[in-house]
């Protein structure tokens, strides 16, 4: 499930009943010991095709800042894409994950054998 490439694409996809743009998988900024400038760069990242994904407002509220161990969209057909996006964001920003998150992602990866993680390290 892990891979890397500098390829850039933009996609608009709806993963819920209504189009609602939300920052791609939120990873709490508190876990990263970053400068204010780095936090702002993360929060305003427009260089990744996965910065915003379309989900319903209800899904966005239920997700909050939960990781894949705590929350996944009810639409199972999107789980592989979501996991790849999550991992790509973690790799892009060099963010760590906890053991529960790791185990959840490994479990998802078992069903996502054709999914590739695409990311470009953040500047």
């Amino acid at each position: 499930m892990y891979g890397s490439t500098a390829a850039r694409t933009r996609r608009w996809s709806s993963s819920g009943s209504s189009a609602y743009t939300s920052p791609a998988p939120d990873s709490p900024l508190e876990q990263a010991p970053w400068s204010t400038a780095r936090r702002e760069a993360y929060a305003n990242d427009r260089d990744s095709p996965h910065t915003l994904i379309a989900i319903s407002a209800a899904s966005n509220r239920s997700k909050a800042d939960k990781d894949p161990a705590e929350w996944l969209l009810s639409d199972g057909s999107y789980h592989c894409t979501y996991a790849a996006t999550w991992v790509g964001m973690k790799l892009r920003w060099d963010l760590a994950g906890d053991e529960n998150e790791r185990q959840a992602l490994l479990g998802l990866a078992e069903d996502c054998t054709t999914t590739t993680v695409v990311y470009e390290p953040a500047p």
Side-chain angles (χ1 to χ4, degrees):
M1 183 169 162
Y2 290 89
S4 137
T5 180
R8 291 178 182 228
T9 59
R10 292 269 180 208
R11 289 185 204 141
W12 177 261
S13 60
S14 178
S15 307
S17 57
S18 62
Y20 178 84
T21 58
S22 172
D26 292 329
S27 187
L29 288 175
E30 294 77 34
Q31 72 176 259
W34 290 343
S35 67
T36 300
R38 184 77 169 163
R39 288 174 191 265
E40 288 176 4
Y42 173 82
N44 295 299
D45 184 8
R46 293 188 185 146
D47 293 329
S48 170
H50 305 293
T51 298
L52 295 177
I53 58 173
I55 62 173
S56 70
S59 291
N60 190 53
R61 283 189 298 274
S62 72
K63 183 201 170 302
D65 64 355
K66 297 173 184 154
D67 67 35
E70 302 167 310
W71 183 90
L72 288 170
L73 285 165
S74 57
D75 180 358
S77 68
Y78 192 69
H79 288 178
C80 292
T81 300
Y82 185 79
T85 300
W86 182 272
V87 170
M89 182 271 309
K90 291 287 215 165
L91 292 169
R92 175 173 172 72
W93 290 95
D94 195 27
L95 293 169
D98 64 27
E99 186 59 21
N100 288 338
E101 177 183 350
R102 181 180 170 283
Q103 290 301 318
L105 290 166
L106 288 171
L108 287 167
E110 290 178 8
D111 295 328
C112 303
T113 57
T114 62
T115 303
T116 302
V117 173
V118 178
Y119 78 102
E120 182 177 328

